[in-house]
Amino acid sequence: MEENKKELVDFVVTARKYKTTLTEKFKNRPVWHKPFPGDVISHLPGTIVELEVKVGDEVEAGQLLLIHQAMKMLNRVVAPVAGVVEAVNVQIGEQIPKDHLMIRINPK
């Protein structure tokens, strides 16, 4: 009789060691990378309704950058850091996917 041998992986939680198997979905997941502090990324697919900045503008943390319509809601997207707008990768009326880099700010 042939036995299916699964690869067991060790992990530790509060000083206790456990063994588990990993699913194919987990093994094939995209690798996480730390985002750049000035990147403004869309969390939902949607449409750009208003654009309040252009390349070269100085912005303060919390300043309105654009309005993004997603799931019938208008979302105010604000600057995560103070700095200078380095790139604007969207236009009014453009439909964007999830995780799209909308604006990049070079922090002060």
Side-chain angles (χ1 to χ4, degrees):
M1 184 173 202
E2 191 176 310
E3 185 178 324
N4 287 339
K5 292 190 177 189
K6 294 190 177 194
E7 179 184 357
L8 294 175
V9 178
D10 295 333
F11 69 97
V12 179
V13 178
T14 60
R16 291 184 186 252
K17 191 173 183 180
Y18 298 92
K19 289 191 180 289
T20 190
T21 57
L22 301 177
T23 64
E24 287 301 315
K25 181 178 178 182
F26 182 81
K27 290 178 188 177
N28 296 327
R29 75 193 184 283
V31 178
W32 182 85
H33 65 281
K34 185 176 180 178
F36 182 73
D39 284 355
V40 180
I41 299 171
S42 64
H43 297 292
L44 293 169
T47 305
I48 303 302
V49 178
E50 289 182 33
L51 194 54
E52 300 292 327
V53 294
K54 61 185 180 309
V55 175
D57 286 355
E58 286 195 26
V59 295
E60 294 298 321
Q63 180 178 335
L64 179 65
L65 300 174
L66 58 90
I67 301 212
H68 175 239
Q69 182 178 3
M71 298 173 49
K72 298 182 182 179
M73 293 185 294
L74 297 176
N75 303 295
R76 295 171 41 90
V77 179
V78 297
V81 293
V84 178
V85 176
E86 188 175 284
V88 177
N89 299 323
V90 293
Q91 298 174 13
I92 295 174
E94 181 179 1
Q95 291 187 341
I96 57 172
K98 177 181 178 185
D99 297 328
H100 180 75
L101 176 61
M102 298 184 289
I103 295 177
R104 172 165 280 174
I105 299 170
N106 190 5
K108 286 184 184 177

